[in-house]
Amino acid sequence: MNMFFYKEKILSPGQLKRLSDHKYSCESLSILDSVLQPWWEWLVSKIPLWLAPNLITVIGLIINILTTLVLVYYSPDAKAEAPWWAFILCAFGLFAYQSLDAIDGKQARRTGTSSPLGELFDHGCDSVSTVFVAISACIAVQLGAYPSWMFFQCFCAITLFYCAHWQAYVSGTLRFGRVDVTEAQFTIMGIHLISAFLGPEIWSIKVPVIGIFELRHLIFVMTVVCCSVPLYQLFIDICNGGVGKNGSTVAGTSVLSPVIPLSLVIVPAFIICRKSTEHVYENHPVLYILAFGLVAAKVTNRLVVAHMTRNEMDYFDSSLIGPAMLFLNQYFNFFIPEHVVLWFCLIWVCFDLIRYSRQVCLEICDHMRIQLFKITPNTTTQNLQQQSSNRNGTTSVSNNRQSRSRRHYH
């Protein structure tokens, strides 16, 4: 079953060994993270010990995707007004994802099941979630009326997520600023709630001081300001050199090498958009960004794998076959409608992302002898617990021991 999608393994034995030795390194200055810690601690205490951390993560992602797709259903062009309850549902979906994403690591430590696979799985889900969250925010403010602004907003969010892991690939440490992911997520939740209770048309109101700008344009300004800080930090890390030999990355490669895979996504997305005779992006903005966003998610996943395995990142990716369909269709003036090719592109990208993620997870599970969505039983602890239960089944001391053993087991 491991080779169901690929003829050869994706990860070499050397990569798997280096992955096993990987230690998670993170620095966070987030303002809201410290405020939300009591909520996250309470929430994880209510999670049953048999629930695998990766299952918590994927449940949150599914909720986030489904609630966003409801919004997309009512506003596929990011211009139509969706029902008020769809915005509330989307805000709830994002809050649920954020909360479950925050406690999966706590659940792993609580059950003694922390592993590099959990970190990889978590970041992989985040890369996909980023695409859907960016799209939902654009729909909430009806940014489809300004296609160029919407293109910038979405690809800016996607690029920032990629750059965060680029910086980790260079420095070996994933850094979060004082205003980062958590703050951005709560801002988007607020946008959804404003659209729900005041209507999306609220964003078209002119700013009193600067009459030519609408409220929705302030989001663009906020994006530019928020982007400047992490991009500046990345620039500093690149200039100072990486932690590898002679200032290289953790894999010993050039600190500038990750720019190529990202460019192979962003540049074609821009060119195809501008060269389209059928205005495929303007007519299908959500579908277009979703297709190219998932390509970027796949490339980001490969960057995370390259960082954790301290391995060089290949420039070409099979998911780029999707955008190549659109490019060739334009170049050779095929008679296939561009929106039909765009659907084929999205289908291919989804399939390619799923098969890659599945294969990498299975290879890591096989190597580390763990299961992806299930906590692997510890036979020794289980036997000791059973023996203790047999000897002292009626005493309170025995009950306490069983409780401690059960927590250790999970």
Side-chain angles (χ1 to χ4, degrees), residues 38-58:
W39 155 246
W40 293 335
E41 293 290 350
W42 177 86
L43 182 61
V44 75
S45 68
K46 303 302 178 183
I47 301 296
L49 289 171
W50 52 262
L51 193 62
N54 291 335
L55 189 57
I56 295 176
T57 310
V58 79

Side-chain angles (χ1 to χ4, degrees), residues 165-336:
H165 290 281
W166 180 358
Q167 181 267 330
Y169 190 54
V170 171
S171 66
T173 300
L174 188 62
R175 296 191 179 98
F176 297 100
R178 297 191 67 80
V179 179
D180 216 287
V181 178
T182 306
E183 289 74 16
Q185 290 173 334
F186 266 93
T187 300
I188 294 174
M189 290 179 215
I191 290 172
H192 285 304
L193 293 178
I194 291 173
S195 295
F197 294 109
L198 300 179
E201 62 274 5
I202 188 71
W203 303 105
S204 61
I205 295 177
K206 301 289 185 181
V207 179
V209 180
I210 312 173
I212 60 174
F213 286 101
E214 299 176 356
L215 279 178
R216 61 167 62 93
H217 295 152
L218 292 179
I219 300 174
F220 170 80
V221 176
M222 290 171 55
T223 301
V224 173
V225 173
C226 293
C227 286
S228 61
V229 176
L231 289 179
Y232 174 75
Q233 183 60 53
L234 174 63
F235 176 76
I236 294 299
D237 286 339
I238 289 175
C239 291
N240 292 337
V243 295
K245 187 177 180 180
N246 298 323
S248 61
T249 66
V250 295
T253 59
S254 169
V255 293
L256 295 176
S257 59
V259 75
I260 297 177
L262 178 64
S263 299
L264 291 176
V265 179
I266 304 297
V267 174
F270 179 76
I271 293 175
I272 294 170
C273 167
R274 304 302 294 181
K275 295 291 184 180
S276 174
T277 57
E278 299 180 9
H279 305 288
V280 64
Y281 167 65
E282 287 80 359
N283 294 328
H284 309 277
V286 172
L287 187 63
Y288 192 91
I289 290 172
L290 187 57
F292 279 91
L294 292 179
V295 175
K298 166 76 182 300
V299 173
T300 305
N301 283 344
R302 289 178 51 245
L303 177 60
V304 175
V305 171
H307 168 218
M308 296 180 64
T309 60
R310 301 196 298 276
N311 195 66
E312 183 178 1
M313 185 180 179
D314 294 331
Y315 295 151
F316 178 77
D317 189 87
S318 54
S319 63
L320 293 172
I321 294 175
M325 297 179 192
L326 288 164
F327 179 81
L328 294 174
N329 190 58
Q330 286 185 2
Y331 185 80
F332 291 107
N333 295 318
F334 286 171
F335 295 104
I336 304 175

